[in-house]
Amino acid sequence: MKKDKLFLDFRVITSYLELHKLVYQFIFFIITALLKFDKVTDFAGTTNFIVLAILTLILKGSWYFRQVVLSLFVVLWGLRLGLFLLMRILQWGEDRRFDDKRDNLGKLAIFWILQAIWVWTVTLPVTVVNASDKQPSVQAQDIIGWIMWIIGILIEITSDQQKLAFKNSPENRGKWCAVGLWKYSRHPNYFGEVSLLNCLFCDVVVCKSYCEF
């Protein structure tokens, strides 16, 4: 009976979030398609993480410590990344990824569909944890995951700022960024992001919620 209730809670929450995510991304897709305005694309993706993390926490309403910490991590990461990407594109003026998509509705739609899949995939761990009634005390895996998150976001923030400063310097126009962390990795920002996202999976492993579903 308990497993049936847990599965029902998970199914109801995920169904609601799927609908919300599709509507949220569809609204921004319409804005982009009609106005040829691509400055909100990354902002739409990152803020969707924030909304989904908060919604899963509120819908379940159990407010376990692990759920609160994990949701807070997602909100902080999404807020930081979303504002950074928004400020960057407002400064640069246009997103070159859309040079071949602004006037091609099919390609634009594919991009937004892939973004919706990306949002769903990344938020799945926090959805599972927040929908679970099985919340053991803080484990070593939790601590390891939280340390990974702190290290990961520091790497992501540092590398983002280093590359932005490099790109904004006129004397570096056309040059490959090889300063700071970029001397040691081709994409240190992605390394930081992957590291902090692994924190989410550490908490899922602790809850073992995936086995119950």
Side-chain angles (χ1 to χ4, degrees):
M1 179 67 69
K2 184 177 180 180
K3 288 186 177 181
D4 290 341
K5 180 180 181 301
L6 184 62
F7 177 74
L8 179 61
D9 287 346
F10 179 76
R11 186 174 60 182
V12 170
I13 290 175
T14 52
S15 298
Y16 179 82
L17 294 181
E18 281 298 305
L19 178 60
H20 176 275
K21 179 195 66 182
L22 291 174
V23 171
Y24 193 85
Q25 294 298 315
F26 182 71
I27 291 173
F28 281 99
F29 165 70
I30 294 298
I31 293 174
T32 304
L34 293 181
L35 304 180
K36 312 296 182 183
F37 184 75
D38 49 45
K39 293 181 175 62
V40 295
T41 306
D42 289 324
F43 185 75
T46 52
T47 53
N48 211 170
F49 294 132
I50 298 173
V51 174
L52 294 179
I54 294 174
L55 280 178
T56 53
L57 188 63
I58 293 175
L59 286 174
K60 183 62 178 179
S62 49
W63 301 94
Y64 290 111
F65 181 69
R66 180 179 292 104
Q67 295 172 332
V68 174
V69 171
L70 200 60
S71 300
L72 180 61
F73 280 171
V74 172
V75 169
L76 291 176
W77 169 66
L79 186 62
R80 200 291 305 181
L81 184 60
L83 290 176
F84 170 78
L85 294 176
L86 179 62
M87 294 300 103
R88 188 182 67 176
I89 192 60
L90 290 176
Q91 181 182 17
W92 287 0
E94 64 178 5
D95 192 334
R96 294 181 180 177
R97 294 175 302 171
F98 292 92
D99 287 347
D100 63 337
K101 299 179 181 66
R102 292 187 186 92
D103 298 317
N104 190 316
L105 191 61
K107 288 185 177 181
L108 193 63
I110 291 174
F111 177 90
W112 282 92
I113 290 172
L114 292 175
Q115 175 155 288
I117 295 173
W118 170 58
V119 170
W120 178 84
T121 303
V122 173
T123 54
L124 184 59
V126 73
T127 301
V128 171
V129 172
N130 285 353
S132 177
D133 286 316
K134 187 174 183 180
Q135 296 288 334
S137 59
V138 175
Q139 307 290 316
Q141 294 96 319
D142 289 306
I143 304 300
I144 293 172
W146 298 345
I147 292 173
M148 288 173 59
W149 186 88
I150 294 172
I151 295 174
I153 198 167
L154 288 176
I155 292 175
E156 185 181 54
I157 292 172
T158 302
S159 55
D160 279 344
Q161 293 300 324
Q162 287 174 342
K163 188 171 184 178
L164 183 63
F166 181 88
K167 289 287 187 181
N168 286 339
S169 177
E171 63 187 32
N172 293 326
R173 188 178 301 276
K175 294 182 180 179
W176 182 264
C177 180
V179 299
L181 296 176
W182 296 86
K183 291 190 297 185
Y184 308 102
S185 172
R186 186 169 185 175
H187 294 293
N189 53 338
Y190 293 156
F191 174 77
E193 185 167 308
V194 170
S195 298
L196 68 88
L197 291 179
N198 277 329
C199 158
L200 310 183
F201 290 97
C202 287
D203 282 349
V204 171
V205 170
V206 172
C207 289
K208 294 181 173 59
S209 303
Y210 61 91
C211 295
E212 299 170 1
F213 298 136

